[in-house]
């Protein structure tokens, strides 16, 4: 703006001072000089307005890059013609390590384990004075200590998983499979084959199910009722603010890890330590230290 004022004022000063002295407003040609000066002032006002608009646009860009305005429409008032530009998408984050502290905190409060990991990495960097890569080595060490009792703590889940799958298969076989139904019905349940039937081979699958249902229904119904009662009891425990086994186990893991590494922020360590490793279809865990820098 100052440069534009100087450019507009320089010609007028030369006109007013030409001829060895200042000319009066009523002198010849004075009206033309005033009109020209007024036109230059108007042009200067237009330039100032354009500069102000550019300043507002750059301010919006800086604020959007700082995540103050995640809505890109704030960069352009007309949403019908707005399109992301190359400058807008050039610095798009592709990993949590590229986010600021504020977004990481929000993600952590929402339960993102990836955000918990990145926040703990930055705390390790600040306490140990290490680089981001070096902080991963300390995190791997913490992961080894945290997963020392993994198989013991997760054994109830594995036993329950195996029993549930086996019960589903065995229950179907005992109801509809002819050899299994006949063996269990005659030797364990003490039932006789229907009248006029010498073997289950003479029966259809539906007839076998009708015959076995007389002793299978009490077992299946009782098992379903027990599971329903356990589920109801767990819901009431939640209402009483009691911690079931899973929450208690995770809290124990987190507190144990925080006591081992007191130099780091306790809440960050606990939030990261609660998470259990991912388990593949073969039921073996994938520890976080094996996922690399970009892993969750």
């Amino acid at each position: 703006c100052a440069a534009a004022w100087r450019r507009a004022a320089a010609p007028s000063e030369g006109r007013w001072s030409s001829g060895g002295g200042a000319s009066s407003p009523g002198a010849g040609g004075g009206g033309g000089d005033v009109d020209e000066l007024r036109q230059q002032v108007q042009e200067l006002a237009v330039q100032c307005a354009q500069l102000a608009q550019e300043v507002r646009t750059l301010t919006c860009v800086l604020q959007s890059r700082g995540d103050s305005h995640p809505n890109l429409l704030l960069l352009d008032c007309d949403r019908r013609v707005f399109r992301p530009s190359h400058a807008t998408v050039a610095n798009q984050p592709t990993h949590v390590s590229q986010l600021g502290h504020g977004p990481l905190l929000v993600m952590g409060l929402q339960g993102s384990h990836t955000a918990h990991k990145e926040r703990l990495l930055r705390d390790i960097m600040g306490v140990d004075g290490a680089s981001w890569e070096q902080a991963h080595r300390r995190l791997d060490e913490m992961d080894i200590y945290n997963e020392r009792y993994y198989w013991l703590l997760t054994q109830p889940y594995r036993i329950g998983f195996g029993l549930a799958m086996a019960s589903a298969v065995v229950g179907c076989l005992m109801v509809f499979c002819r050899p299994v139904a006949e063996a269990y019905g005659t030797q364990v349940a003490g039932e006789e084959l229907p009248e006029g039937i010498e073997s289950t081979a003479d029966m259809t699958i539906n007839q076998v199910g009708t015959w076995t249902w007389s002793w299978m229904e009490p077992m299946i119904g009782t098992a379903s009722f027990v599971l329903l009662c356990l589920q109801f009891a767990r819901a009431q425990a939640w209402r009483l603010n009691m911690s079931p086994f899973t929450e208690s186990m995770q809290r124990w893991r987190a507190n144990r890890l925080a006591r081992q590494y007191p130099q780091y922020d306790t809440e960050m360590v606990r939030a990261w330590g609660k998470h259990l490793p991912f388990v593949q279809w073969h039921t073996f865990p994938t520890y976080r230290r094996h996922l690399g820098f970009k892993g969750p």
Side-chain angles (χ1 to χ4, degrees), residues 203-214:
M203 303 170 62
T204 65
I205 294 179
N206 290 335
Q207 290 174 338
V208 172
T210 303
W211 174 60
T212 58
W213 195 245
S214 60

Side-chain angles (χ1 to χ4, degrees), residues 167-194:
S167 299
V169 174
V170 172
C172 293
L173 293 178
M174 292 176 63
V175 174
F176 295 107
C177 183
R178 295 185 181 93
V180 176
E182 182 176 0
Y184 185 87
T186 56
Q187 300 179 15
V188 179
E191 295 287 338
E192 296 182 356
L193 291 172

Side-chain angles (χ1 to χ4, degrees), residues 14-259:
R15 295 187 184 94
W16 287 106
S17 60
S18 62
S23 60
S24 62
D33 293 339
V34 172
D35 293 338
E36 186 177 355
L37 180 60
R38 184 178 295 116
Q39 182 180 0
Q40 292 176 354
V41 170
Q42 292 176 354
E43 294 176 356
L44 178 63
V46 173
Q47 294 177 1
C48 289
Q50 293 176 351
L51 289 174
Q53 180 63 31
E54 293 179 2
V55 169
R56 286 193 295 268
T57 303
L58 292 175
T59 302
C60 291
V61 172
L62 293 176
Q63 289 177 344
S64 64
R65 291 182 178 178
D67 294 329
S68 298
H69 297 283
N71 187 1
L72 293 179
L73 287 177
L74 294 176
L75 304 180
D76 197 318
C77 296
D78 193 351
R79 66 174 63 226
R80 295 171 300 179
V81 300
F82 173 78
R83 295 294 184 274
S85 63
H86 290 285
T88 304
V89 303
N91 298 323
Q92 179 179 209
T94 58
H95 191 259
V96 291
S97 60
Q98 301 166 358
L99 298 177
H101 300 317
L104 282 178
L105 177 60
V106 174
M107 292 174 60
L109 293 175
Q110 294 175 348
S112 172
H113 175 65
T114 307
H116 293 323
K117 172 186 175 182
E118 183 61 28
R119 295 187 72 222
L120 182 56
L121 282 171
R122 297 184 184 186
D123 189 57
I124 295 174
M125 293 172 62
V127 174
D128 296 349
S131 64
W132 191 70
E133 290 78 8
Q134 293 171 344
H136 275 81
R137 300 171 187 167
R138 175 54 62 91
L139 200 65
D140 293 345
E141 174 188 326
M142 297 171 66
D143 186 56
I144 294 174
Y145 180 83
N146 195 36
E147 305 301 343
R148 181 175 298 176
Y149 300 104
Y150 169 80
W151 286 97
L152 178 63
L153 294 174
T154 58
Q155 202 62 30
Y157 302 105
R158 298 178 181 278
I159 294 175
F161 175 77
L163 288 177
M165 296 297 295
S167 299
V169 174
V170 172
C172 293
L173 293 178
M174 292 176 63
V175 174
F176 295 107
C177 183
R178 295 185 181 93
V180 176
E182 182 176 0
Y184 185 87
T186 56
Q187 300 179 15
V188 179
E191 295 287 338
E192 296 182 356
L193 291 172
E195 185 178 355
I197 300 297
E198 297 181 358
S199 173
T200 54
D202 301 329
M203 303 170 62
T204 65
I205 294 179
N206 290 335
Q207 290 174 338
V208 172
T210 303
W211 174 60
T212 58
W213 195 245
S214 60
W215 68 82
M216 288 299 299
E217 182 181 13
M219 292 190 296
I220 295 177
T222 302
S224 301
F225 180 74
V226 169
L227 292 177
L228 180 63
C229 292
L230 292 176
Q231 185 178 7
F232 179 78
R234 189 178 189 274
Q236 303 314 306
W238 270 109
R239 294 177 182 273
L240 293 173
N241 203 21
M242 295 175 59
S243 297
F245 174 77
T246 301
E247 286 71 22
S248 300
M249 179 264 291
Q250 291 178 335
R251 185 181 299 111
W252 180 82
R253 282 165 49 94
N255 294 334
R256 174 175 172 270
L257 185 64
R259 288 192 299 268

